[in-house]
Amino acid sequence: MDRQNRVGSKFGGGGVSSAQQSERERKERLKKLALESIDLAKDPYLVKNHLGSYECKLCLTLHRDEANYLAHTQGKKHQQGLGRRAYLDKLKEQQQQQASSTITQTTSTSTILPSRPKLRIGRPAYQVFKSRDADTNQRCLSFELHYPELGDEWQPRHRFMSAFEQKIDRPPDRRYQYLLFAAGDYETVAFRIPNEPLDKDHEKFVTHWDGVSKKFTLTLHFQEPSVSFSRS
Ligand SMILES: [Zn+2]
């Protein structure tokens, strides 16, 4: 009779010798299962020495075979050693995390906007022109930004930022404000300009996006102090 292939054989009756045999088989099977599930090849503490026996690197103990080592790993000494090691590893990990979070904080202060985790094309080419209005003698600034690789779905945007809102120039200087330009995957660029009131007249503050040449222009005029303090 072939017991191995008989389904439900554990319910069948048997003599003393077959009971002993099945008990031995059971133990062998369990040992094999344990060896497989623990995978001693990945155990960092099991070392096979040149005499063919096994050592536990954690407890510095000797074992005649893998099964004996396995039994040792379930023992108190080894378990306490594992607990101590896990505690030390956790401590080390926490220290590393603290170190890396310090680096993140340091780098975040050097960018105006929180960096997004995506590829940037780079900075746009730009030119700034200073002039005076021929009629009013107002100071005028004109910004030209070139975005040759900007996708058609994007249009550049501008934004003003106070000295206290920006994070690059430290300490903040209230004599300045910042003009930012952002467009798609290009890097945002900022220009520091005098913190003086701007002329909001629609002919004195003009933006223009040329989607063909991919050129964005912004022209602004400062209100001259003489204008804001003028009396009628
Ligand atoms: Zn051990």
Side-chain angles (χ1 to χ4, degrees):
M1 186 176 67
D2 186 358
R3 296 180 73 251
Q4 299 292 324
N5 297 324
R6 223 184 89 190
V7 178
S9 67
K10 73 177 190 177
F11 296 113
V16 175
S17 67
S18 71
Q20 282 174 338
Q21 194 188 1
S22 68
E23 176 63 13
R24 202 171 66 233
E25 280 175 5
R26 194 182 69 85
K27 277 184 177 169
E28 281 298 313
R29 208 163 57 234
L30 280 177
K31 197 170 94 179
K32 215 174 142 204
L33 268 178
L35 287 174
E36 277 169 6
S37 60
I38 289 177
D39 193 2
L40 290 171
K42 286 180 189 152
D43 189 326
Y45 306 118
L46 176 61
V47 181
K48 196 172 182 178
N49 65 23
H50 65 284
L51 297 171
S53 57
Y54 297 85
E55 284 177 27
C56 176
K57 257 201 314 184
L58 187 64
C59 314
L60 304 175
T61 47
L62 267 178
H63 307 279
R64 66 177 180 276
D65 54 26
E66 289 186 343
N68 185 264
Y69 170 79
L70 205 63
H72 159 77
T73 61
Q74 303 306 310
K76 194 175 164 186
K77 184 180 182 183
H78 189 82
Q79 291 294 321
Q80 282 178 345
L82 283 180
R84 201 164 50 236
R85 180 61 64 96
Y87 171 75
L88 290 173
D89 285 350
K90 199 177 166 189
L91 215 66
K92 203 169 146 189
E93 195 181 309
Q94 282 172 345
Q95 283 168 349
Q96 281 170 349
Q97 276 173 355
Q98 276 170 0
S100 64
S101 73
T102 315
I103 292 164
T104 315
Q105 279 165 10
T106 313
T107 50
S108 69
T109 55
S110 63
T111 48
I112 281 186
L113 299 170
S115 61
R116 281 179 285 174
K118 65 178 182 180
L119 278 174
R120 289 279 174 176
I121 295 174
R123 282 183 194 175
Y126 60 85
Q127 285 171 290
V128 183
F129 305 96
K130 288 182 189 178
S131 61
R132 289 236 179 215
D133 189 286
D135 299 325
T136 63
N137 205 32
Q138 282 170 287
R139 282 165 301 151
C140 168
L141 287 175
S142 202
F143 299 86
E144 255 186 38
L145 295 104
H146 301 266
Y147 296 101
E149 289 169 67
L150 191 66
D152 289 333
E153 72 273 29
W154 294 102
Q155 190 169 325
R157 293 171 183 282
H158 74 275
R159 189 193 157 202
F160 289 95
M161 204 178 253
S162 77
F164 299 94
E165 196 182 349
Q166 60 82 32
K167 299 279 194 296
I168 289 183
D169 287 344
R170 287 287 167 219
D173 188 336
R174 63 171 68 250
R175 290 174 302 167
Y176 299 102
Q177 60 182 322
Y178 296 76
L179 176 55
L180 279 66
F181 295 95
D185 290 335
Y186 275 91
E187 271 179 40
T188 298
V189 289
F191 298 90
R192 191 172 64 184
I193 63 173
N195 185 22
E196 289 170 31
L198 300 175
D199 194 332
K200 295 196 176 77
D201 187 284
H202 70 278
E203 284 183 358
K204 299 287 176 66
F205 188 93
V206 184
T207 61
H208 178 68
W209 170 236
D210 185 335
V212 179
S213 65
K214 305 276 185 185
K215 189 171 85 176
F216 186 73
T217 50
L218 184 151
T219 301
L220 60 83
H221 289 73
F222 290 101
Q223 277 183 22
E224 295 304 312
S226 58
V227 173
S228 50
F229 292 110
S230 68
R231 289 175 197 171
S232 55

